[in-house]
Structure formats: C-alpha cells, structure tokens
Amino acid sequence: MSEKFAHQTDANKKLDIAMEALDNREDAEGAIEAFNHFYYEEEEAADPVRKIVAFLYLQTASEELGDEEIPRHLNESKIAELIKSLPVSSLIEVSTKIGNAEIKKGYVNLVRKHAHNPEEVLTGILFEVPIKVNKYVFSILEEEGKFDLLNSFIKSAGTRAKETPEVFIWVAKSILTKVWEGEWLLSSKQEERLELILKVFRMFKPLTKIEDKGTKLKNACKDILHGNDDEILREAIHAGNSEYIRKLYALYKEVPYFTDLEKERLYSLIVELKPDVAWEEDEDEDEEDDDILTRIPEGAILVTRRALNRKKEEFEHLLNVEMPENSKDIGEAQERGDLRENAEYKAAMEKQVQLQAAIKRLEAEIKSAIILDLTNVKTDKINIGVTAKLKNESTGEVVAYSILGAWDADTEKHIISYQSPLAKSLLGKKTGDSAVLNLTGAETRYTVLDISRFSLQSQEN
C-alpha cells in the first residue's frame, strides 16, 4: 500500500488508499504510519483543502487506532478559525474537492459547528454532484427541523433541473417513491406530485443534449416512472385528468431515445387504467402487424422486469463487491515482493481481466434490454408473454409452455426464451394449428389447444 500511495498523484485516490488502510489496519500497520506522517505534513499546507483533509484524516486515524499520541499540527480550534475565515462560496468549493465520502461527512460536521452561515453552505452542498454526501446533508437538515430550507431547496432543484439534472432526478425520485415524506414536505400532496411527475416527463427530451454520451441519467429518469412495476406511471395515469394524461403521452412520444415499443407500452397502460381517455392513433398503420419482434430495434433483446433486475443485481455485485475485493487482492499481492514469481499476483490479475470482461458484457446486455409489457398481451395467437397448451397428436399427452424474455428460461417451469428454437416453432400459431416440435430428440406433431396470458402468480403457487 505504501508504494501504491507514493506513486499515486491524485489527492483523492491517495486519501482513499489511506482510508482503506485504516479499515484493514491489521494488514497495513506499517503503511498507516507512513500515511499518518504524510498527512501530518499536509496539515501545514497553504491550501485550505489539503489542510482540512489532513486534519480530518488524522482525526479519523486517531479514532480508529485509539491513539491520541498521533503527532498533529492542528487542533479543532485552529481548523475552526480556518473555516470561519472562508466565505460561503469557498466552503462549498472545498466540499467539491473532497472525494472520500467519510471525509466529506466529517467536513460537513465541521461546517455545521464552525461556519458563520452553515445553512447556506449546506444548501450549496446539496446541489453538489455526483450525489455523495447530499443525502447525509439532507438528513441532518431534516433532523434539525429546517423544513423551510429543505422545501426551498426542493423548489430550486425543480427550477434548476436542466442545470443540475442529477440533483433533480435524485430529488424527484426521493419524493415520488416516498423516501422523503412527512407533513413538512410541500410536494407530498397529490397535485404537487402530479406536477413533479410532469417535470420528470419534461426532463427526458433535454437529457438528449445534456447527456450526449452514456445513459446513466436517462436510465435514472426512466426508472422513476417504470420502477416497481410502473408504480409512479400508474399513479399519474390514475390520478390525472384527460388533458394531463394526453400531455404526458405527447411528451413521451417526443423523446428520440425511447423505442416505439416503450411508447406503445405507455399507451397500453393508459388504455388499461383510463380507457375513457384512450384514443385511436395511427389508424392508417397496418393493424395486422402486431408482431412485437418486428418492432424492436436491431440488437435489442426483450426481457421481463424481474429478469432485468436479476441481471442488474449481478452487475452491481461484480462492480461493487468482487472488483473491490480483487483490487484489494492485487494490492496485497504487490506488497509481497517480486511480481514475476508471484503466483497470487498473477492469479489476481487474471481474475481482474475476467471480471472486467464480465462487467463489460453485462453492461452491454443491460443497455440492450427492453422490458416486456405483460399486461396487454394478445392471445389470438402464440406470442411472447403467453402460455400455450399443446397436445401430442400421437399420444394425447398435454404439455404447456410459456414464452418469455431472453433471460427467463426455466426448464422445470416450462418457461422458454422467445429466442429458443422451440419458441420460434410456436410463435404465430393459433388455437387449432399444428406445430412440429422436437422436444425429446424426435420430431412430433402437436396441436395448439389453448393460448392464455402468462401468469407470474400461477408460477409461484
């Protein structure tokens, strides 16, 4: 760790290494001593950021090690003088330059205790991106009963949505999913919630230019509406009047990165929840073309929300658990000496390559996924999202297969992917049609007896 720390030029990455050493102090005792000395010298730096970070690191080290004898240049009274001497804008800027979340929290606590205008500084930090310490600051202000300040921040986040979209998305999601709730929250009333949902819809199109590369913000914004089985979207349709719902749909249709399938899904929800609001559209289109596979973009795959969530969990585990563990293994192996003869180092590096490849593959798969709408599946013929009951014309045996997304196959439950050869043999067949299937290694003719919507509940019973 000492060598890694010495070669690192980024101040925040240096700090992360030092903080990691404190978390693993039994294996990094010698390194911690070197880090303590480094930050002891940093306490005398002219730059206030370096001085504050050094003070907070050494304070953390003293607490973690139970050692009050760590040499210090600064005490809290001196750091308090420094904080009091800095204007609000500088105090906000200091926070933006601290990368480590725990040290940022320590800095927030110093600001609360010693700044002349702590509330103004904390409000500024609430607009900081990426979202790290913001939630901590919000919880502090909420505990202190600074409700007028929080409502003012929430209002500003909406006004500045295009300027700070990440903050707006965080605020909107926290309110709409009721992470934040209470009588103090002005945006908790139904009218305000509908207006906030409308603001989310209005953010989609600007995100095309704001986030010209990548999809992080776009996906986060979409997740507000479509998360938890379209809960917020359903709320908006259920509570909104005809004009409001039409406005939502008009905004949704204008978003260039939404597929036709996603737009049709919203329309289907409107038909399902508010049939009196639904309207006929695109009447000149070929109504016979209801094959979902003809409408998905090239390279896209259809998945159920449940399967997508599993895939996301796998991705997050690799990214946030296995990769950090692997990095730790590499660092520990590096400290053992000659890397040319270090089998543990080679094994850890090989695993890193495998993990990076798996993360890249999963990321690509998740980006290409389109969620299946299982609420409006037609059953006039075998399609994705149905369960087909089939009769063996030779033996009379009856079997049933459900056709779902690319990641849903389950042999025991007779669930098959729409991409499988078996599904391809069945898609498009109607009740009474025959299909030649290869289920046991030999071709057998089956008759379609019944077609029904797939039911998740029936699978779980």
Side-chain angles (χ1 to χ4, degrees):
M1 272 191 174
S2 299
E3 185 177 349
K4 186 178 178 183
F5 183 88
H7 290 150
Q8 182 56 252
T9 57
D10 185 285
N12 278 315
K13 290 181 179 178
K14 271 185 177 292
L15 180 59
D16 286 339
I17 294 169
M19 293 294 286
E20 183 184 348
L22 291 178
D23 290 336
N24 301 279
R25 49 187 177 274
E26 291 182 3
D27 300 324
E29 188 174 345
I32 290 174
E33 187 176 343
F35 301 158
N36 289 350
H37 179 72
F38 172 83
Y39 286 109
Y40 170 71
E41 293 184 341
E42 283 286 283
E43 281 192 321
E44 291 195 304
D47 179 12
V49 178
R50 290 168 61 187
K51 192 183 289 285
I52 290 169
V53 166
F55 170 80
L56 288 168
Y57 166 79
L58 290 173
Q59 185 179 61
T60 304
S62 295
E63 293 170 357
E64 291 290 330
L65 302 174
D67 184 1
E68 297 180 0
E69 301 302 319
I70 293 178
R72 306 289 298 273
H73 286 299
L74 296 174
N75 54 33
E76 186 149 344
S77 63
K78 289 182 179 179
I79 211 74
E81 290 176 10
L82 172 61
I83 288 175
K84 288 175 181 176
S85 71
L86 295 174
V88 169
S89 59
S90 296
L91 289 171
I92 294 171
E93 186 180 1
V94 168
S95 178
T96 65
K97 293 182 178 179
I98 300 174
N100 184 273
E102 290 306 311
I103 296 298
K104 282 175 86 75
K105 288 180 181 179
Y107 174 67
V108 166
N109 292 332
L110 287 177
V111 167
R112 290 171 63 200
K113 290 171 66 176
H114 305 302
H116 287 302
N117 299 293
E119 292 179 6
E120 192 175 349
V121 179
L122 295 181
T123 302
I125 294 175
L126 283 173
F127 279 100
E128 187 178 309
V129 292
I131 305 295
K132 282 188 176 181
V133 77
N134 314 54
K135 298 175 184 178
Y136 178 66
V137 172
F138 192 97
S139 66
I140 287 172
L141 294 172
E142 186 177 17
E143 288 173 8
E144 293 179 351
K146 308 294 185 182
F147 302 135
D148 289 343
L149 184 67
L150 290 177
N151 279 312
S152 177
F153 158 69
I154 289 168
K155 184 177 180 180
S156 295
T159 305
R160 297 168 55 182
K162 294 180 183 178
E163 178 189 343
T164 54
E166 189 172 346
V167 173
F168 169 73
I169 292 169
W170 163 54
V171 169
K173 184 172 184 178
S174 299
I175 293 172
L176 293 174
T177 59
K178 298 184 179 179
V179 172
W180 301 342
E181 55 183 345
E183 293 183 2
W184 65 268
L185 185 62
L186 297 180
S187 301
S188 62
K189 297 177 182 178
Q190 187 65 70
E191 185 178 342
E192 283 80 6
R193 285 179 64 83
L194 288 177
E195 182 61 30
L196 183 56
I197 293 170
L198 186 60
K199 285 182 180 179
V200 172
F201 271 82
R202 285 176 172 150
M203 271 301 296
F204 284 122
K205 195 171 182 180
L207 283 176
T208 307
K209 293 182 179 179
I210 294 171
E211 189 181 41
D212 57 344
K213 294 181 180 179
T215 58
K216 180 182 177 182
L217 294 178
K218 298 184 187 81
N219 289 340
C221 207
K222 286 170 70 173
D223 190 55
I224 294 175
L225 301 178
H226 295 296
N228 197 19
D229 194 25
D230 303 314
E231 181 179 9
I232 303 303
L233 201 53
R234 290 173 180 274
E235 175 189 341
I237 296 169
H238 179 75
N241 59 27
S242 177
E243 182 182 355
Y244 177 85
I245 293 170
R246 288 174 182 270
K247 187 179 293 184
L248 293 186
Y249 186 62
L251 288 167
Y252 206 83
K253 282 189 68 177
E254 290 178 356
V255 182
Y257 51 87
F258 285 174
T259 65
D260 289 342
L261 204 61
E262 288 173 316
K263 293 170 185 177
E264 288 178 18
R265 174 168 174 72
L266 174 58
Y267 182 75
S268 297
L269 280 174
I270 295 172
V271 172
E272 175 192 343
L273 300 173
K274 283 286 184 71
D276 55 316
V277 177
W279 58 92
E280 295 296 327
E281 65 165 324
D282 300 332
E283 293 179 353
D284 57 336
E285 290 187 1
D286 183 3
E287 294 184 1
E288 295 299 317
D289 184 17
D290 59 357
D291 183 359
I292 192 172
L293 294 176
T294 65
R295 304 196 304 275
I296 64 172
E298 184 178 354
I301 53 175
L302 297 169
V303 301
T304 59
R305 185 175 297 280
R306 184 173 59 168
L308 179 60
N309 288 340
R310 286 199 303 264
K311 192 74 73 170
K312 286 181 177 179
E313 287 173 4
E314 183 183 354
F315 175 78
E316 293 295 331
H317 181 77
L318 288 177
L319 195 65
N320 299 321
V321 178
E322 294 202 30
M323 277 299 290
E325 288 178 355
N326 176 250
S327 297
K328 180 182 174 183
D329 291 341
I330 291 173
E332 291 176 351
Q334 285 175 328
E335 293 179 356
R336 294 192 178 96
D338 189 353
L339 299 182
R340 292 172 298 178
E341 302 297 329
N342 191 327
E344 291 181 0
Y345 174 75
K346 291 179 180 178
M349 289 301 294
E350 287 176 4
K351 185 175 181 181
Q352 184 183 69
V353 172
Q354 294 169 358
L355 288 172
Q356 288 173 340
I359 288 170
K360 186 176 181 180
R361 173 181 55 79
L362 285 171
E363 186 175 25
E365 289 178 352
I366 290 169
K367 284 182 179 179
S368 67
I370 294 177
I371 296 175
L372 279 165
D373 179 8
L374 299 178
T375 62
N376 197 36
V377 176
K378 294 182 179 180
T379 56
D380 57 329
K381 61 183 179 181
I382 296 177
N383 206 338
I384 303 171
V386 307
T387 298
K389 190 178 292 185
L390 313 170
K391 180 180 179 181
N392 186 316
E393 293 184 3
S394 299
T395 66
E397 179 187 8
V398 175
V399 294
Y401 285 94
S402 299
I403 302 175
L404 293 182
W407 305 330
D408 292 284
D410 188 325
T411 305
E412 291 184 1
K413 295 181 178 180
H414 282 206
I415 298 175
I416 57 177
S417 162
Y418 73 91
Q419 296 175 327
S420 67
L422 177 56
K424 290 177 180 178
S425 299
L426 291 171
L427 289 171
K429 301 292 184 183
K430 297 182 178 181
T431 302
D433 286 353
S434 292
V436 177
L437 308 178
N438 189 336
L439 302 181
T440 58
E443 290 188 345
T444 307
R445 185 172 294 277
Y446 285 81
T447 300
V448 180
L449 296 181
D450 181 64
I451 304 169
S452 60
R453 287 186 186 178
F454 171 78
S455 171
L456 181 61
Q457 286 74 20
S458 66
Q459 292 289 328
E460 293 176 342
N461 291 337

